[in-house]
Amino acid sequence: MQELRDLARRLLRENQVNVILGYECARRGVRPAFITEAADCDRLVFDHRCVHNLAAYLSPRRTHVRALGRPAVVIKACDARAVAGLIRESQIEREETVLIGVRCGGVVLDPADSSPLSSGNIAPRCSACDQREPALFDHLVGEPKGAPAGEASRDARLSEIEAMNPEERLGLWIGLLGRCTRCHACRQICPMCFCERCIADKTQPAWIETSPHSRGNFAWHLTRALHLAGRCVDCGECERACPARIPLGLLSRKAARSVASRYGYVVTDDPAIPTPIGSFQFDDGQEFIA
Amino acid sequence: MSRIGVFICHCGENIGRTVDCVRVAHNLENVPGVVHSIDYKYMCSDPGQALIKQAIRELQLDGVVVGACSPHMHEKTFRKAAAAAGLNPYLCEMANLREHCSWIHEDRERATDKAIGLARFMVEKIKYNRPLATIRIPVERRALVIGGGIAGIQAALDIADGGREVILVEKEPSIGGHMSQLSETFPTLDCSQCILTPRMVEVAQHPNIQLLAYSEVESVEGYIGNFQVKIRRKARSVDEIKCNGCGECQKNCPNQKIPGEFDRGLGMRTAIYVPFPQAVPNIPVIDRAKCAFYRGKAKGVKKAVCGKCAEVCGPKAIDFDQQDSFVTEEVGAIVVATGYQLYSIGKAQESETLRGYGEYGYGAIPDVIDGLQFERLASASGPTGGKILRPSDGKEPKTIVFLQCIGSRDRAKGIEYCSKICCMYVAKHAILYHHKVDHGRAIVFYLDIRAGGKGYDEFVRRAIEESHALYLRGRVSRLFRNGDTICVHGVDTLSGEPVAIDADMVVLATAMRAQPDIASLAQKLSISYDRHGFLNEAHPKLRPVETNTAGVYLAGACQSPRDIPDSVAMASAAAAKVLGLFSNELLEREPLIARVDQLACTGCFHCERVCPYGAIERKQLKDGKGRVIKIVAEVNQGVCQGCGTCQATCPSKSVELEGFTDEQVYAAVNAL
Amino acid sequence: MNIRRMIGKTDLDVLIRDLISAGKRVIAPVRCGDSQHEALEYAPVRSPAEIHWAGPLPLRSLKEIIFPPTETLFGWKQVKSSVEIEANPNGFRETVIIGARPCDAAAFEIVDRVMGWDYRDDLWFGRRQATTILTVACPHGDESCFCPAVGLSPESARGADWFLTPADGGFEAAILTQKGEALLEPYKAQWPEPNNFSKQQLSGLESKVRANLKVQPESIRQWLEKHFDDPLWKHVALRCHGCGACAFVCPACHCFDIVDEPEGIDRGRRRRNWDACQPALFTLHGSGHNPRKDQAARFRQRIMHKFNYYPARFGEVLCTGCGRCVRVCAAGMDLIAILAEIGRRSEEAGAAS
Amino acid sequence: MASSFEPNIVAFVCNWCTYTGADLAGTSRISMAPNVRIIRLPCTGRIDTLFILKALERGADGIIVSGCHPADCHYTAGNYHARRRFAIFRDLMEFVGIDPHRVTFSWVSASEGGKWAEVVDRTTERVRRLGPFRTYPRLARGAGE
């Protein structure tokens, strides 16, 4: 922790950056912090409650954060994938952002949960995560961490749904997506949903019905999952933000499974590797094409 | 509210027989936005077109839907008619009621319903059509020709004679290509070099042609009328300006025993060499892999191991330190004439799909040669001075077996196409052999004889009847050395008898293949190629010398196996296309291209990555004070070909393809 | 009206079954489907056994029962150049809400004011009329609750037709409205009046949640009125992602968007959908100009509307202190902390003047 | 009942291969089911998955997406990009329970008029067996009504 604070202080003092995007303690657990004064750096924390993906704040669409100036951002291995995505897709310049990588042994699902990390409260993505630190960083801080608790079989539900018959699946999703009220929290918090004007907000024509009925919700969530195929960094923020507690990660992980099995593509924090949609191989599988 | 006119064509009985055109017109009349809906016997006829023009003028139509044949047939016709009546041509669309309806259905009721549906799609779509203006872009009226074989030479001369500048790029030290290696040409038996060399010299001397031999295209940017081509000028180690072509360097080069490429390994050349005496330009090049100076340097020997050529060079043209250099040329059109290579029967193949010929010894038998080697033997300027002599012992072969379709039409070896020229040149070889070797026996194994062309079949008959070549229909199963001779085992499939021949020499008519590095050139030019590597024309019948990248044209065997007359014809056709393009200062293009909504664009550049043409550019969007707000995509109007892949890929649909915008497609789908 | 009844658990079950078999829609807190979490939601029930009386506040408020996330205003069909309107054929289904939390029930009365103000919203009041609300004394509070700070309490009966207080394994019911009385009517004679001494003392929930936030709504309003351009807004809004989750779970937020949704070329529906003031799109003009240009301006609007403009016009804040916005915010935006800060500043300002 | 059902099928096809192939089918008078109506796009690269969703919303019982064979694309690579897009979209569609048998993807070249007729007939027959696809357009019913 002290290492992180000292580094942040130095970066601010030496004018290398204007703002540190990190975490701080508040009334209800940990929350994102925006530190602009070296004197405030002691507020910075990093522990297993730091579930938020701060890369979302780097998007050019966050004009209020951008206005603070050149940022340094605290990133876990999973967050680094989002930073790589933003670089890959020309949203930020690598040189314009200082990346403070943190070693991470897993985080809880609820940042207000101060109980120790256990298989009961761990964020599901962490159980299956084998990356203790990012490969993309300028500075790396923190003690080496052990592998987090919990079972690595988080995609069991995915396989379960795949094994259902089509009617069961449709019924399941009508039930789940029927709960969506289109608050778009999933999109707003997503580090990779950075469009200036989302397709769901486009009205001429309105490909995606804005009404929160299942028909509009299917179009929205299917399209979002497609747009995130090979881009979703699996940070779980959409699911955490969803006030209707819809397991949205199932859709993006299905897309991830699809690009992995079809094109051998896995999202990494290497910005130089292109996304699978937008590239192709002459001999890509086409078993579904007559 | 729109003012749309619907015009349903009976096409005589073609549509009217199966589609109730009157019902279609009546039905469409009730569609909101339609103010006029009629049917007529022949819409494309003059009176039919007059009906459309009259309605546009009198009813102030702002959209015209013609329900008739395929738009591929008459879209231009009706758009022109609309334009003549003062309506923007892009406000006219066609519904395909003939090819897609009346001709493929029998049930009149259902065909009529479908016709209504198809017309309805277009009525709804056209409500969102926008008037579009033809795009005009300036044309740089200079051409680049890639490849200095006969096709490239012809194209360059034709364009240059048409008064336009040409840059001719040839990767070898000399132009001339394969044709310069041939002895005589079928079916007239004129001497290849005699007809070619004057043209080569003409190229060298033409004031409008800039010849860049020993050079390759490094990169191509831009678009029709405005290409920027970067050309690598490979280091010759000889100063082209100083060199006077005296040949002293070659005479004095100590390394005289290098199998020469021009003679297909049958003759020798030096380390500093001109490929053949009539080379254009007549400037030698040092083969650095073979030259003692460079080999010594590579081994780290400090003192120059050799420098003979430099010593004897009067004008001091030898430049051992020469490096590759680059020039960038602005051109408006590019003709690709990169030619072909021959199938190698050896074990090693550069493609997994190809197989060598183990049954013919994988090329290890010295007196088994390919057709081009035979040309060199038969050529007066060749290694044997035009005498047919065996490579192994220099004896005159008394029996030569010619095998056709080596590689060609042989799926097992990876090539199923016909190489087209082999039947003819084998006949030529048989005739030449007959002329040169008295009592020589030519035996030809063939599968079919393909001799379509002026004087071609007569030529083959001449080989058989006058030169007494024995034509056996069948394949040779095996070749092997038997002492001094080569045992040829095959089957005469007409008699059904097995055949065994002791031959003194075997000549293989190996397949014509695409150039080995064609894929990389095709990528630089954004043109497509088939799975054999032959470049694709825009349309196999109607646009045979154009490619799908505007401004890039094809000539010769890079497109498919071709003989000299075909290559020359194609080259002249490509030149005509280029000159046509250059006849105007401004180029007109169909405006059906993509357009970016820069307010909505986020600059993720997925579009840039999927664009097959590199038409997406990055543009800084600035506020009133000149500060960069964001970097957005912009479509280069000259480069975009209108495929729309950008739009389907754009997550926020901030790029629209004119003519097929989201609103147009949405409206059509809405009419389901 | 001061009718009181003791209702045994089985009696209440009978009432619920009767309502269901009479074809009425019965809404009550139930366990969320397909959730890994212990979470409740208000949903239609088919049997009294599904109802969860205890446990945390349901995820979404009761708002959606009266004001659905999407509803059809009318259908249209175009015939040549004229348009036929097909009014929403659905009437308002008789609904009984059982186990409403006080902060949810109270919101209806607060929102009634704007819905019946310059224009009377028939859809809102139609459903209000068709709905009977049985509020239960709040069984659960946490660090995000602050109903006492906005003048309510875990035992507030505002907006209720019945108010139920747990007692002797059942409930003591206070019947508060005519609608409530009509619901009671068939059982009025069978169910006994309560013994005044049987009512359980509620746990110290009120004092617990009162400690979460101690501010006076009027003092907040006074500060807000004078601090439209305060630097505080830029500061507090930094972490806001601009999603609408807070508004969508809020029992009092009531903004909506009206869209025409085609269902073919010549027909479609006009729908009214929930909307929220936090996404940039909310105030984006067709020209591309956005008067609320950044998240600070949008977040300020949320606070101003609830704690300044609404009380200025209607005399009370547009908030029932349910704390859902605090719980749901994935970015850690904390209305309690923000109101406490504004309260502190207001007091300082008051002390200074 | 099922046999009397005539499915409503929309085809999104590229201009250069499949549309021309369908023209050839017409020129060759190859008879086929009248259930399929074509919407012409320049390239499969332009065919958006949103078209498919919207068509289902508007009551299409089946959908055909067809373009140039690999290596045959008029625009050199549009079909390769489309192939990936459709592959992933199809997986997602299947995952949420939309029967992928309602959507046919095919490559039909300008010379394959016969193949086009086959694609049309096979799709029509398959969708006829699956029955009308009312579930999808009706997903909007009941919401807030």
Side-chain angles (χ1 to χ4, degrees), chain B residues 357 360 401-409 421-427 443-450 460 471-472 474-476 507-511:
Chain B
Y357 277 83
Y360 303 160
V401 173
F402 293 92
L403 306 186
Q404 295 197 174
C405 295
I406 302 306
S408 316
R409 306 177 67 203
I421 63 167
C422 324
C423 289
M424 294 310 299
Y425 77 64
V426 168
I443 300 162
V444 178
F445 279 89
Y446 71 100
L447 296 184
D448 297 291
I449 295 298
R450 296 182 170 179
V460 175
Y471 271 71
L472 296 175
R475 267 212 192 277
V476 166
V507 180
L508 307 177
T510 46

Side-chain angles (χ1 to χ4, degrees), chain C residues 240-284:
Chain C
C240 177
H241 289 293
C243 74
C246 49
F248 281 44
V249 296
C250 176
C253 275
H254 51 265
C255 283
F256 55 79
D257 183 26
I258 291 180
V259 295
D260 285 346
E261 217 160 64
E263 300 208 320
I265 208 68
D266 54 358
R267 69 197 64 212
R269 282 159 195 269
R270 175 163 294 179
R271 286 179 179 275
R272 164 156 95 168
N273 299 330
W274 283 3
D275 205 347
C277 54
Q278 294 309 287
L281 191 70
F282 190 70
T283 47
L284 183 65

